[in-house]
Amino acid sequence: MASSDEGLRDPVNGVGRGGSARRRVAVPSVAERVADELRYQLAEGMLVPGTRLTEAAIAEELGVSRNTVREAFAELASERLVVRHPNRGVFVATLEAGDIHDVYTVRRAIEVSAIRGGGTPEGIAAVRAAVEEGKRAAAVEDNEGLGSANQHFHGAIVALAGSRRLDTIMSHVLAEMRLFFHKASVDAHFYSGYLTENDEICSALEAGKLDRAGELLHAYLDRSEAQQRAVHGE
Amino acid sequence: MASSDEGLRDPVNGVGRGGSARRRVAVPSVAERVADELRYQLAEGMLVPGTRLTEAAIAEELGVSRNTVREAFAELASERLVVRHPNRGVFVATLEAGDIHDVYTVRRAIEVSAIRGGGTPEGIAAVRAAVEEGKRAAAVEDNEGLGSANQHFHGAIVALAGSRRLDTIMSHVLAEMRLFFHKASVDAHFYSGYLTENDEICSALEAGKLDRAGELLHAYLDRSEAQQRAVHGE
DNA sequence: ATCGCTGAATTGTTGAACAATCCGACATTT
DNA sequence: AAATGTCGGATTGTTCAACAATTCAGCGAT
């Protein structure tokens, strides 16, 4: 390990945030770093949905105060990554029956709306870049890379709208999906089939056929939802 | 005053929540009640955007601990009602240049998407009910009632999608707008012009002309945005 | 088997304390 | 006079210890 024996990672530069020589002016607060750490563990599948998170345990494990853990919990709860049961504790969020549909309803709303708005040339270029990123990952059979490329693709689509609020909503939704569908991402050809579809959507977008792109994207999300429902019970 | 000399209101039944004889099973936590109180003051325009909220002052004023106020702040910050400036304090959120467009971008995305999904007969009935509520308010020239009827209308539209997540997103957006546009709501004929338009949208929805309803709603939001931008600087 | 009790564990909340940080006022320098 | 440097007060960020409130599992009584 780089820093201490246990607890939080580098306050200034996170894990995957290398490269930028400029330092952050304001170091994120401890509570924020705790939230980041937990978010990381959640996304990485180290914390299985349904697990109970006791304040004292995490406080000691990360070497921070209980109150600070509490603040981090509040943040994660607002992102629906954990659920607070009053007087019972916080639990890693679990997927109820209708939640898959719910999540995809949000995605359909904001993604389709964003792509129908067109966006700037730079924005479209970012979408294209994500498609190419996916192709490269597929060429090396890098499943993890394929998954994140897919997320970049959809993130780039939402970014077309140029709305801070939509961006954060999307990032929350994607975080939820990472948590829930972590197991599914190990499937080899799970995303591979989407590659050509993403390309098609991107081409329609580049050609200015926005309605067409929107329809394709909508259909894509419908199919993706069905697939996820098939994988997980229901 | 009903309860104590100062501080929070009734823990069990809020202020506008009268009528229901059934008590809440789980009394909301103190932090939540603090958040509710602040939300109320924000929506009511008692707290002007840009105002600084010092923890100690609010803690004493509401008779709670500073840590509890902190938790409430975290919740409000996640809803963008207040902004945290590290080591400087939290301030009532202010409206930056592009934020009006940003908020309306979110609304266009989720409202149009929701109405294009159609929804259940009960959902459509709720939309119609909101339209009638607006007409009644207009008949009595109840501006405040007109404003809230309008919010009910748009809330009912989003509810068509039947998505918990979209509902909470919409409620946050509406809370933001209440905070920002509070002054504008005093304008007499601000919403009155929208009445017939809401009716038209609702009729299209009832007739199953979803695309048409979506277009009308989209145009409505565009115009509403332009109007708000005209009222507020920019 | 159901009900109620009891006790351990955890959460919710408080109050106090301290370091870190920011801000304004004042002093210094050029 | 303007820019710079320094200091002190005020507020936030964080920790710690304590206590009340609540949940839950186990146990015993009916």
Side-chain angles (χ1 to χ4, degrees), chain B residues 127-163:
Chain B
V127 175
R128 167 58 63 190
V131 172
E132 300 304 327
E133 178 190 348
K135 284 182 182 174
R136 278 196 304 276
V140 200
E141 294 189 15
D142 174 10
N143 285 345
E144 193 159 340
L146 237 168
S148 68
N150 198 42
Q151 297 208 350
H152 292 166
F153 175 72
H154 291 279
I157 286 180
V158 172
L160 289 172
S163 160

PDB file of all heavy atoms in Angstrom, chain B residues 127-163:
ATOM      1  N   VAL B 127     -54.184  13.646 -13.883  1.00  0.00           N
ATOM      2  CA  VAL B 127     -53.806  14.819 -14.667  1.00  0.00           C
ATOM      3  C   VAL B 127     -55.028  15.703 -14.879  1.00  0.00           C
ATOM      4  O   VAL B 127     -54.987  16.924 -14.681  1.00  0.00           O
ATOM      5  CB  VAL B 127     -53.206  14.387 -16.025  1.00  0.00           C
ATOM      6  CG1 VAL B 127     -52.931  15.608 -16.885  1.00  0.00           C
ATOM      7  CG2 VAL B 127     -51.936  13.576 -15.812  1.00  0.00           C
ATOM      8  N   ARG B 128     -56.122  15.074 -15.250  1.00  0.00           N
ATOM      9  CA  ARG B 128     -57.360  15.834 -15.467  1.00  0.00           C
ATOM     10  C   ARG B 128     -57.775  16.551 -14.188  1.00  0.00           C
ATOM     11  O   ARG B 128     -58.195  17.727 -14.219  1.00  0.00           O
ATOM     12  CB  ARG B 128     -58.467  14.865 -15.938  1.00  0.00           C
ATOM     13  CG  ARG B 128     -59.862  15.425 -15.923  1.00  0.00           C
ATOM     14  CD  ARG B 128     -60.007  16.668 -16.773  1.00  0.00           C
ATOM     15  NE  ARG B 128     -59.760  16.427 -18.200  1.00  0.00           N
ATOM     16  CZ  ARG B 128     -59.642  17.395 -19.103  1.00  0.00           C
ATOM     17  NH1 ARG B 128     -59.730  18.669 -18.722  1.00  0.00           N
ATOM     18  NH2 ARG B 128     -59.408  17.121 -20.368  1.00  0.00           N
ATOM     19  N   ALA B 129     -57.645  15.869 -13.073  1.00  0.00           N
ATOM     20  CA  ALA B 129     -58.022  16.468 -11.790  1.00  0.00           C
ATOM     21  C   ALA B 129     -57.204  17.722 -11.527  1.00  0.00           C
ATOM     22  O   ALA B 129     -57.740  18.735 -11.032  1.00  0.00           O
ATOM     23  CB  ALA B 129     -57.820  15.458 -10.658  1.00  0.00           C
ATOM     24  N   ALA B 130     -55.933  17.674 -11.885  1.00  0.00           N
ATOM     25  CA  ALA B 130     -55.076  18.841 -11.663  1.00  0.00           C
ATOM     26  C   ALA B 130     -55.526  20.003 -12.543  1.00  0.00           C
ATOM     27  O   ALA B 130     -55.489  21.170 -12.127  1.00  0.00           O
ATOM     28  CB  ALA B 130     -53.624  18.477 -11.935  1.00  0.00           C
ATOM     29  N   VAL B 131     -55.965  19.678 -13.757  1.00  0.00           N
ATOM     30  CA  VAL B 131     -56.457  20.737 -14.650  1.00  0.00           C
ATOM     31  C   VAL B 131     -57.688  21.407 -14.037  1.00  0.00           C
ATOM     32  O   VAL B 131     -57.790  22.642 -13.985  1.00  0.00           O
ATOM     33  CB  VAL B 131     -56.798  20.159 -16.036  1.00  0.00           C
ATOM     34  CG1 VAL B 131     -57.484  21.212 -16.894  1.00  0.00           C
ATOM     35  CG2 VAL B 131     -55.537  19.646 -16.712  1.00  0.00           C
ATOM     36  N   GLU B 132     -58.586  20.579 -13.552  1.00  0.00           N
ATOM     37  CA  GLU B 132     -59.816  21.129 -12.952  1.00  0.00           C
ATOM     38  C   GLU B 132     -59.476  21.940 -11.706  1.00  0.00           C
ATOM     39  O   GLU B 132     -60.064  22.999 -11.458  1.00  0.00           O
ATOM     40  CB  GLU B 132     -60.772  19.986 -12.598  1.00  0.00           C
ATOM     41  CG  GLU B 132     -61.185  19.135 -13.801  1.00  0.00           C
ATOM     42  CD  GLU B 132     -61.818  19.975 -14.916  1.00  0.00           C
ATOM     43  OE1 GLU B 132     -62.488  20.985 -14.595  1.00  0.00           O
ATOM     44  OE2 GLU B 132     -61.605  19.645 -16.107  1.00  0.00           O
ATOM     45  N   GLU B 133     -58.543  21.437 -10.939  1.00  0.00           N
ATOM     46  CA  GLU B 133     -58.115  22.168  -9.749  1.00  0.00           C
ATOM     47  C   GLU B 133     -57.641  23.569 -10.137  1.00  0.00           C
ATOM     48  O   GLU B 133     -57.958  24.555  -9.462  1.00  0.00           O
ATOM     49  CB  GLU B 133     -56.980  21.394  -9.060  1.00  0.00           C
ATOM     50  CG  GLU B 133     -56.426  22.107  -7.834  1.00  0.00           C
ATOM     51  CD  GLU B 133     -55.143  21.447  -7.323  1.00  0.00           C
ATOM     52  OE1 GLU B 133     -54.829  20.322  -7.779  1.00  0.00           O
ATOM     53  OE2 GLU B 133     -54.454  22.059  -6.490  1.00  0.00           O
ATOM     54  N   GLY B 134     -56.903  23.647 -11.235  1.00  0.00           N
ATOM     55  CA  GLY B 134     -56.431  24.947 -11.700  1.00  0.00           C
ATOM     56  C   GLY B 134     -57.585  25.852 -12.100  1.00  0.00           C
ATOM     57  O   GLY B 134     -57.596  27.039 -11.775  1.00  0.00           O
ATOM     58  N   LYS B 135     -58.576  25.271 -12.758  1.00  0.00           N
ATOM     59  CA  LYS B 135     -59.733  26.081 -13.190  1.00  0.00           C
ATOM     60  C   LYS B 135     -60.459  26.654 -11.988  1.00  0.00           C
ATOM     61  O   LYS B 135     -60.845  27.837 -11.981  1.00  0.00           O
ATOM     62  CB  LYS B 135     -60.699  25.212 -14.006  1.00  0.00           C
ATOM     63  CG  LYS B 135     -60.216  24.932 -15.423  1.00  0.00           C
ATOM     64  CD  LYS B 135     -61.246  24.096 -16.184  1.00  0.00           C
ATOM     65  CE  LYS B 135     -60.763  23.756 -17.578  1.00  0.00           C
ATOM     66  NZ  LYS B 135     -61.697  22.822 -18.261  1.00  0.00           N
ATOM     67  N   ARG B 136     -60.638  25.807 -10.981  1.00  0.00           N
ATOM     68  CA  ARG B 136     -61.321  26.290  -9.776  1.00  0.00           C
ATOM     69  C   ARG B 136     -60.546  27.434  -9.133  1.00  0.00           C
ATOM     70  O   ARG B 136     -61.120  28.450  -8.728  1.00  0.00           O
ATOM     71  CB  ARG B 136     -61.480  25.135  -8.780  1.00  0.00           C
ATOM     72  CG  ARG B 136     -62.660  24.244  -9.048  1.00  0.00           C
ATOM     73  CD  ARG B 136     -62.986  23.393  -7.826  1.00  0.00           C
ATOM     74  NE  ARG B 136     -61.833  22.615  -7.382  1.00  0.00           N
ATOM     75  CZ  ARG B 136     -61.482  21.428  -7.885  1.00  0.00           C
ATOM     76  NH1 ARG B 136     -62.201  20.907  -8.863  1.00  0.00           N
ATOM     77  NH2 ARG B 136     -60.445  20.791  -7.434  1.00  0.00           N
ATOM     78  N   ALA B 137     -59.223  27.264  -9.058  1.00  0.00           N
ATOM     79  CA  ALA B 137     -58.398  28.311  -8.447  1.00  0.00           C
ATOM     80  C   ALA B 137     -58.497  29.599  -9.246  1.00  0.00           C
ATOM     81  O   ALA B 137     -58.546  30.696  -8.679  1.00  0.00           O
ATOM     82  CB  ALA B 137     -56.948  27.838  -8.349  1.00  0.00           C
ATOM     83  N   ALA B 138     -58.538  29.458 -10.567  1.00  0.00           N
ATOM     84  CA  ALA B 138     -58.603  30.640 -11.415  1.00  0.00           C
ATOM     85  C   ALA B 138     -59.932  31.365 -11.227  1.00  0.00           C
ATOM     86  O   ALA B 138     -59.987  32.591 -11.231  1.00  0.00           O
ATOM     87  CB  ALA B 138     -58.422  30.240 -12.881  1.00  0.00           C
ATOM     88  N   ALA B 139     -60.983  30.593 -11.033  1.00  0.00           N
ATOM     89  CA  ALA B 139     -62.299  31.188 -10.862  1.00  0.00           C
ATOM     90  C   ALA B 139     -62.347  32.084  -9.638  1.00  0.00           C
ATOM     91  O   ALA B 139     -63.045  33.092  -9.612  1.00  0.00           O
ATOM     92  CB  ALA B 139     -63.360  30.078 -10.760  1.00  0.00           C
ATOM     93  N   VAL B 140     -61.590  31.726  -8.625  1.00  0.00           N
ATOM     94  CA  VAL B 140     -61.569  32.504  -7.383  1.00  0.00           C
ATOM     95  C   VAL B 140     -60.380  33.458  -7.357  1.00  0.00           C
ATOM     96  O   VAL B 140     -60.143  34.134  -6.356  1.00  0.00           O
ATOM     97  CB  VAL B 140     -61.524  31.543  -6.175  1.00  0.00           C
ATOM     98  CG1 VAL B 140     -61.977  32.256  -4.918  1.00  0.00           C
ATOM     99  CG2 VAL B 140     -62.356  30.305  -6.417  1.00  0.00           C
ATOM    100  N   GLU B 141     -59.650  33.476  -8.460  1.00  0.00           N
ATOM    101  CA  GLU B 141     -58.447  34.301  -8.546  1.00  0.00           C
ATOM    102  C   GLU B 141     -57.466  34.008  -7.422  1.00  0.00           C
ATOM    103  O   GLU B 141     -56.864  34.915  -6.839  1.00  0.00           O
ATOM    104  CB  GLU B 141     -58.826  35.785  -8.542  1.00  0.00           C
ATOM    105  CG  GLU B 141     -59.590  36.180  -9.789  1.00  0.00           C
ATOM    106  CD  GLU B 141     -59.765  37.688  -9.878  1.00  0.00           C
ATOM    107  OE1 GLU B 141     -59.048  38.394  -9.135  1.00  0.00           O
ATOM    108  OE2 GLU B 141     -60.601  38.149 -10.675  1.00  0.00           O
ATOM    109  N   ASP B 142     -57.357  32.745  -7.115  1.00  0.00           N
ATOM    110  CA  ASP B 142     -56.417  32.302  -6.085  1.00  0.00           C
ATOM    111  C   ASP B 142     -55.081  31.988  -6.751  1.00  0.00           C
ATOM    112  O   ASP B 142     -54.866  30.902  -7.272  1.00  0.00           O
ATOM    113  CB  ASP B 142     -56.982  31.053  -5.388  1.00  0.00           C
ATOM    114  CG  ASP B 142     -55.992  30.453  -4.411  1.00  0.00           C
ATOM    115  OD1 ASP B 142     -54.956  31.107  -4.133  1.00  0.00           O
ATOM    116  OD2 ASP B 142     -56.251  29.338  -3.926  1.00  0.00           O
ATOM    117  N   ASN B 143     -54.197  32.969  -6.718  1.00  0.00           N
ATOM    118  CA  ASN B 143     -52.923  32.797  -7.424  1.00  0.00           C
ATOM    119  C   ASN B 143     -52.095  31.662  -6.855  1.00  0.00           C
ATOM    120  O   ASN B 143     -51.537  30.840  -7.588  1.00  0.00           O
ATOM    121  CB  ASN B 143     -52.112  34.090  -7.346  1.00  0.00           C
ATOM    122  CG  ASN B 143     -52.664  35.137  -8.286  1.00  0.00           C
ATOM    123  OD1 ASN B 143     -53.453  34.810  -9.173  1.00  0.00           O
ATOM    124  ND2 ASN B 143     -52.266  36.380  -8.084  1.00  0.00           N
ATOM    125  N   GLU B 144     -52.033  31.635  -5.556  1.00  0.00           N
ATOM    126  CA  GLU B 144     -51.227  30.584  -4.937  1.00  0.00           C
ATOM    127  C   GLU B 144     -51.779  29.214  -5.304  1.00  0.00           C
ATOM    128  O   GLU B 144     -51.031  28.297  -5.644  1.00  0.00           O
ATOM    129  CB  GLU B 144     -51.218  30.773  -3.420  1.00  0.00           C
ATOM    130  CG  GLU B 144     -50.183  29.935  -2.714  1.00  0.00           C
ATOM    131  CD  GLU B 144     -49.850  30.518  -1.339  1.00  0.00           C
ATOM    132  OE1 GLU B 144     -50.117  31.719  -1.121  1.00  0.00           O
ATOM    133  OE2 GLU B 144     -49.347  29.773  -0.499  1.00  0.00           O
ATOM    134  N   GLY B 145     -53.094  29.109  -5.247  1.00  0.00           N
ATOM    135  CA  GLY B 145     -53.717  27.849  -5.622  1.00  0.00           C
ATOM    136  C   GLY B 145     -53.454  27.511  -7.067  1.00  0.00           C
ATOM    137  O   GLY B 145     -53.237  26.349  -7.431  1.00  0.00           O
ATOM    138  N   LEU B 146     -53.413  28.530  -7.901  1.00  0.00           N
ATOM    139  CA  LEU B 146     -53.139  28.306  -9.312  1.00  0.00           C
ATOM    140  C   LEU B 146     -51.731  27.740  -9.497  1.00  0.00           C
ATOM    141  O   LEU B 146     -51.510  26.796 -10.267  1.00  0.00           O
ATOM    142  CB  LEU B 146     -53.248  29.631 -10.071  1.00  0.00           C
ATOM    143  CG  LEU B 146     -54.243  29.650 -11.217  1.00  0.00           C
ATOM    144  CD1 LEU B 146     -54.482  31.070 -11.692  1.00  0.00           C
ATOM    145  CD2 LEU B 146     -53.745  28.787 -12.361  1.00  0.00           C
ATOM    146  N   GLY B 147     -50.806  28.315  -8.766  1.00  0.00           N
ATOM    147  CA  GLY B 147     -49.426  27.849  -8.878  1.00  0.00           C
ATOM    148  C   GLY B 147     -49.283  26.402  -8.458  1.00  0.00           C
ATOM    149  O   GLY B 147     -48.675  25.595  -9.171  1.00  0.00           O
ATOM    150  N   SER B 148     -49.879  26.061  -7.331  1.00  0.00           N
ATOM    151  CA  SER B 148     -49.710  24.686  -6.861  1.00  0.00           C
ATOM    152  C   SER B 148     -50.482  23.729  -7.754  1.00  0.00           C
ATOM    153  O   SER B 148     -50.061  22.594  -7.977  1.00  0.00           O
ATOM    154  CB  SER B 148     -50.153  24.567  -5.408  1.00  0.00           C
ATOM    155  OG  SER B 148     -51.543  24.755  -5.307  1.00  0.00           O
ATOM    156  N   ALA B 149     -51.622  24.168  -8.291  1.00  0.00           N
ATOM    157  CA  ALA B 149     -52.356  23.315  -9.225  1.00  0.00           C
ATOM    158  C   ALA B 149     -51.493  23.010 -10.447  1.00  0.00           C
ATOM    159  O   ALA B 149     -51.474  21.884 -10.945  1.00  0.00           O
ATOM    160  CB  ALA B 149     -53.648  24.002  -9.654  1.00  0.00           C
ATOM    161  N   ASN B 150     -50.773  24.018 -10.894  1.00  0.00           N
ATOM    162  CA  ASN B 150     -49.887  23.812 -12.036  1.00  0.00           C
ATOM    163  C   ASN B 150     -48.802  22.787 -11.708  1.00  0.00           C
ATOM    164  O   ASN B 150     -48.486  21.917 -12.517  1.00  0.00           O
ATOM    165  CB  ASN B 150     -49.255  25.153 -12.435  1.00  0.00           C
ATOM    166  CG  ASN B 150     -48.686  25.115 -13.829  1.00  0.00           C
ATOM    167  OD1 ASN B 150     -49.302  24.558 -14.740  1.00  0.00           O
ATOM    168  ND2 ASN B 150     -47.494  25.666 -14.006  1.00  0.00           N
ATOM    169  N   GLN B 151     -48.282  22.894 -10.500  1.00  0.00           N
ATOM    170  CA  GLN B 151     -47.265  21.917 -10.103  1.00  0.00           C
ATOM    171  C   GLN B 151     -47.869  20.521 -10.003  1.00  0.00           C
ATOM    172  O   GLN B 151     -47.235  19.527 -10.369  1.00  0.00           O
ATOM    173  CB  GLN B 151     -46.655  22.338  -8.774  1.00  0.00           C
ATOM    174  CG  GLN B 151     -45.931  23.671  -8.869  1.00  0.00           C
ATOM    175  CD  GLN B 151     -44.807  23.791  -7.863  1.00  0.00           C
ATOM    176  OE1 GLN B 151     -44.676  22.955  -6.971  1.00  0.00           O
ATOM    177  NE2 GLN B 151     -44.001  24.829  -8.020  1.00  0.00           N
ATOM    178  N   HIS B 152     -49.096  20.443  -9.501  1.00  0.00           N
ATOM    179  CA  HIS B 152     -49.764  19.145  -9.443  1.00  0.00           C
ATOM    180  C   HIS B 152     -49.930  18.574 -10.846  1.00  0.00           C
ATOM    181  O   HIS B 152     -49.765  17.379 -11.070  1.00  0.00           O
ATOM    182  CB  HIS B 152     -51.128  19.281  -8.763  1.00  0.00           C
ATOM    183  CG  HIS B 152     -51.035  19.610  -7.315  1.00  0.00           C
ATOM    184  ND1 HIS B 152     -52.099  20.052  -6.573  1.00  0.00           N
ATOM    185  CD2 HIS B 152     -49.984  19.575  -6.447  1.00  0.00           C
ATOM    186  CE1 HIS B 152     -51.720  20.274  -5.323  1.00  0.00           C
ATOM    187  NE2 HIS B 152     -50.437  19.991  -5.232  1.00  0.00           N
ATOM    188  N   PHE B 153     -50.267  19.461 -11.760  1.00  0.00           N
ATOM    189  CA  PHE B 153     -50.453  19.029 -13.144  1.00  0.00           C
ATOM    190  C   PHE B 153     -49.182  18.356 -13.675  1.00  0.00           C
ATOM    191  O   PHE B 153     -49.217  17.224 -14.174  1.00  0.00           O
ATOM    192  CB  PHE B 153     -50.813  20.239 -14.007  1.00  0.00           C
ATOM    193  CG  PHE B 153     -50.907  19.949 -15.480  1.00  0.00           C
ATOM    194  CD1 PHE B 153     -51.960  19.224 -15.998  1.00  0.00           C
ATOM    195  CD2 PHE B 153     -49.918  20.410 -16.341  1.00  0.00           C
ATOM    196  CE1 PHE B 153     -52.048  18.955 -17.361  1.00  0.00           C
ATOM    197  CE2 PHE B 153     -49.993  20.144 -17.701  1.00  0.00           C
ATOM    198  CZ  PHE B 153     -51.064  19.420 -18.209  1.00  0.00           C
ATOM    199  N   HIS B 154     -48.075  19.045 -13.510  1.00  0.00           N
ATOM    200  CA  HIS B 154     -46.831  18.494 -14.060  1.00  0.00           C
ATOM    201  C   HIS B 154     -46.344  17.296 -13.247  1.00  0.00           C
ATOM    202  O   HIS B 154     -45.760  16.364 -13.798  1.00  0.00           O
ATOM    203  CB  HIS B 154     -45.769  19.586 -14.125  1.00  0.00           C
ATOM    204  CG  HIS B 154     -46.088  20.632 -15.143  1.00  0.00           C
ATOM    205  ND1 HIS B 154     -45.823  20.456 -16.478  1.00  0.00           N
ATOM    206  CD2 HIS B 154     -46.667  21.847 -15.032  1.00  0.00           C
ATOM    207  CE1 HIS B 154     -46.218  21.531 -17.142  1.00  0.00           C
ATOM    208  NE2 HIS B 154     -46.740  22.392 -16.297  1.00  0.00           N
ATOM    209  N   GLY B 155     -46.617  17.343 -11.958  1.00  0.00           N
ATOM    210  CA  GLY B 155     -46.283  16.177 -11.152  1.00  0.00           C
ATOM    211  C   GLY B 155     -47.087  14.961 -11.601  1.00  0.00           C
ATOM    212  O   GLY B 155     -46.553  13.847 -11.676  1.00  0.00           O
ATOM    213  N   ALA B 156     -48.352  15.179 -11.912  1.00  0.00           N
ATOM    214  CA  ALA B 156     -49.205  14.072 -12.355  1.00  0.00           C
ATOM    215  C   ALA B 156     -48.733  13.518 -13.691  1.00  0.00           C
ATOM    216  O   ALA B 156     -48.825  12.318 -13.947  1.00  0.00           O
ATOM    217  CB  ALA B 156     -50.657  14.541 -12.461  1.00  0.00           C
ATOM    218  N   ILE B 157     -48.224  14.397 -14.524  1.00  0.00           N
ATOM    219  CA  ILE B 157     -47.709  13.930 -15.810  1.00  0.00           C
ATOM    220  C   ILE B 157     -46.532  12.996 -15.612  1.00  0.00           C
ATOM    221  O   ILE B 157     -46.454  11.915 -16.195  1.00  0.00           O
ATOM    222  CB  ILE B 157     -47.318  15.130 -16.692  1.00  0.00           C
ATOM    223  CG1 ILE B 157     -48.582  15.816 -17.217  1.00  0.00           C
ATOM    224  CG2 ILE B 157     -46.426  14.690 -17.844  1.00  0.00           C
ATOM    225  CD1 ILE B 157     -48.296  17.010 -18.087  1.00  0.00           C
ATOM    226  N   VAL B 158     -45.613  13.418 -14.758  1.00  0.00           N
ATOM    227  CA  VAL B 158     -44.456  12.558 -14.499  1.00  0.00           C
ATOM    228  C   VAL B 158     -44.906  11.255 -13.864  1.00  0.00           C
ATOM    229  O   VAL B 158     -44.367  10.180 -14.162  1.00  0.00           O
ATOM    230  CB  VAL B 158     -43.437  13.279 -13.606  1.00  0.00           C
ATOM    231  CG1 VAL B 158     -42.342  12.322 -13.174  1.00  0.00           C
ATOM    232  CG2 VAL B 158     -42.842  14.469 -14.337  1.00  0.00           C
ATOM    233  N   ALA B 159     -45.919  11.345 -13.006  1.00  0.00           N
ATOM    234  CA  ALA B 159     -46.397  10.143 -12.329  1.00  0.00           C
ATOM    235  C   ALA B 159     -46.942   9.121 -13.313  1.00  0.00           C
ATOM    236  O   ALA B 159     -47.041   7.931 -12.995  1.00  0.00           O
ATOM    237  CB  ALA B 159     -47.470  10.510 -11.305  1.00  0.00           C
ATOM    238  N   LEU B 160     -47.284   9.565 -14.506  1.00  0.00           N
ATOM    239  CA  LEU B 160     -47.777   8.632 -15.523  1.00  0.00           C
ATOM    240  C   LEU B 160     -46.779   7.510 -15.775  1.00  0.00           C
ATOM    241  O   LEU B 160     -47.152   6.376 -16.066  1.00  0.00           O
ATOM    242  CB  LEU B 160     -48.034   9.378 -16.835  1.00  0.00           C
ATOM    243  CG  LEU B 160     -49.232  10.323 -16.868  1.00  0.00           C
ATOM    244  CD1 LEU B 160     -49.233  11.115 -18.165  1.00  0.00           C
ATOM    245  CD2 LEU B 160     -50.521   9.548 -16.702  1.00  0.00           C
ATOM    246  N   ALA B 161     -45.510   7.844 -15.672  1.00  0.00           N
ATOM    247  CA  ALA B 161     -44.480   6.850 -15.952  1.00  0.00           C
ATOM    248  C   ALA B 161     -44.434   5.765 -14.886  1.00  0.00           C
ATOM    249  O   ALA B 161     -43.870   4.692 -15.109  1.00  0.00           O
ATOM    250  CB  ALA B 161     -43.117   7.525 -16.076  1.00  0.00           C
ATOM    251  N   GLY B 162     -45.015   6.057 -13.727  1.00  0.00           N
ATOM    252  CA  GLY B 162     -45.018   5.065 -12.663  1.00  0.00           C
ATOM    253  C   GLY B 162     -43.645   4.718 -12.145  1.00  0.00           C
ATOM    254  O   GLY B 162     -43.395   3.590 -11.742  1.00  0.00           O
ATOM    255  N   SER B 163     -42.775   5.707 -12.146  1.00  0.00           N
ATOM    256  CA  SER B 163     -41.411   5.453 -11.721  1.00  0.00           C
ATOM    257  C   SER B 163     -41.090   6.234 -10.451  1.00  0.00           C
ATOM    258  O   SER B 163     -41.121   7.461 -10.439  1.00  0.00           O
ATOM    259  CB  SER B 163     -40.436   5.849 -12.836  1.00  0.00           C
ATOM    260  OG  SER B 163     -39.138   6.039 -12.311  1.00  0.00           O
TER     261      SER B 163
END
